[in-house]
Amino acid sequence: MGRAGAHGGAPLGRVAVALDVTWAVKWLTLSAQAMAEHRVELIELDRAIGDSDHGENMDRGFQAVLDKLAEAPPQTPGAALKLTAMTLMSKVGGAAGPLYGTAFLRAATSLGDAAEVDPAAWAGALAAARDGIVARGKAESGDKTMVDAWTPAVEAARKAAMDGNGDALTVLVAAAEAAEAGAVATDPMVARKGRASYLGERSAGHRDPGAASSALILRAAVGAAA
Ligand code: ADP
Ligand code: MG
């Protein structure tokens, strides 16, 4: 029985998406596009509570990811994420480079050499990424960092994967929406980690740039599957 025609998979009228290497490469390509499109916005967010480099860093890093993907096309989603991790670690400076590098590396390890990512595996990869960010940066929820986008995304993905009907797109959407809400929720927070914490109370009233870029990346994962 073909996957697209399977009963109990995608809701009626929608073909189940396969989260394979083609999806992964499209995800990273759309992430690069999003970083380019939102470069100025991320710069402005970082200008308010940091040093204005986040948009520049992320745009440069993901453009380098596109070059690497073209040079050495990966064979599995895990390989695509590992290549991304290595590239972001070497090309993105500041706090975000090592944090995103660790996130993508842990996600790659979690996926292993599987040809496709099922809903539970996506939830697991997001959890691994979040745990990597926390291991590296030691931020907790509410510290006004990218963790405030990733943790709700992990929880939403786990829930959707558990309640789900086997439809990967539903799980991707749940994670992206939760990350977006998580990023918005950083607005009133007072930063307790990273450069923004130097501002103390004055960091309140601004969105955390890393939470904003994280939400864009998780939204791109939906776009790649839609
Ligand atoms: P830098 O702060 O070195 O200029 P970027 O501007 O590229 O680096 O990235 C800033 C983002 O990194 C912040 O918006 C925040 O989301 C994230 N960040 C900084 N420190 C931490 C940390 N300890 N844990 C998690 N995320 C962090
Ligand atoms: Mg910065």
Side-chain angles (χ1 to χ4, degrees):
M1 186 163 57
R3 193 177 48 246
H7 296 291
L12 282 179
R14 204 162 74 200
V15 172
V17 279
L19 306 185
D20 55 10
V21 70
T22 303
W23 163 78
V25 169
K26 194 167 171 201
W27 171 28
L28 298 165
T29 305
L30 292 180
S31 295
Q33 254 175 43
M35 294 306 123
E37 274 167 26
H38 294 267
R39 182 175 153 275
V40 171
E41 181 188 322
L42 294 172
I43 287 172
E44 292 304 322
L45 291 177
D46 199 28
R47 189 190 310 288
I49 59 169
D51 59 355
S52 323
D53 64 349
H54 191 62
E56 198 69 55
N57 288 346
M58 295 301 288
D59 183 30
R60 188 181 55 247
F62 270 93
Q63 289 307 316
V65 169
L66 291 189
D67 293 345
K68 294 278 180 200
L69 288 170
E71 254 170 61
Q75 301 300 310
T76 60
L81 299 194
K82 185 166 180 199
L83 172 154
T84 302
M86 298 309 178
T87 309
L88 294 181
M89 280 194 206
S90 67
K91 298 284 180 190
V92 180
L99 290 166
Y100 273 120
T102 306
F104 276 97
L105 193 59
R106 296 276 189 105
T109 304
S110 153
L111 295 178
D113 57 7
E116 284 189 22
V117 183
D118 67 17
W122 178 244
L126 291 181
R130 188 274 315 272
D131 292 348
I133 293 167
V134 170
R136 186 110 202 182
K138 310 276 185 276
E140 294 174 7
S141 291
D143 283 353
K144 196 182 182 95
T145 71
M146 59 174 73
V147 171
D148 292 309
W150 284 88
T151 292
V154 169
E155 285 163 7
R158 273 187 181 144
K159 186 169 183 303
M162 266 184 329
D163 311 342
N165 53 10
D167 180 14
L169 186 58
T170 306
V171 184
L172 295 176
V173 169
E177 285 178 351
E180 285 162 358
V184 170
T186 66
D187 291 7
M189 291 176 185
V190 172
R192 287 192 293 252
K193 280 282 185 300
R195 208 178 281 282
S197 67
Y198 308 157
L199 291 180
E201 298 286 331
R202 280 185 293 134
S203 62
H206 303 281
R207 186 156 310 164
D208 177 64
S213 59
S214 297
L216 290 170
I217 290 168
L218 293 181
R219 176 55 67 184
V222 176

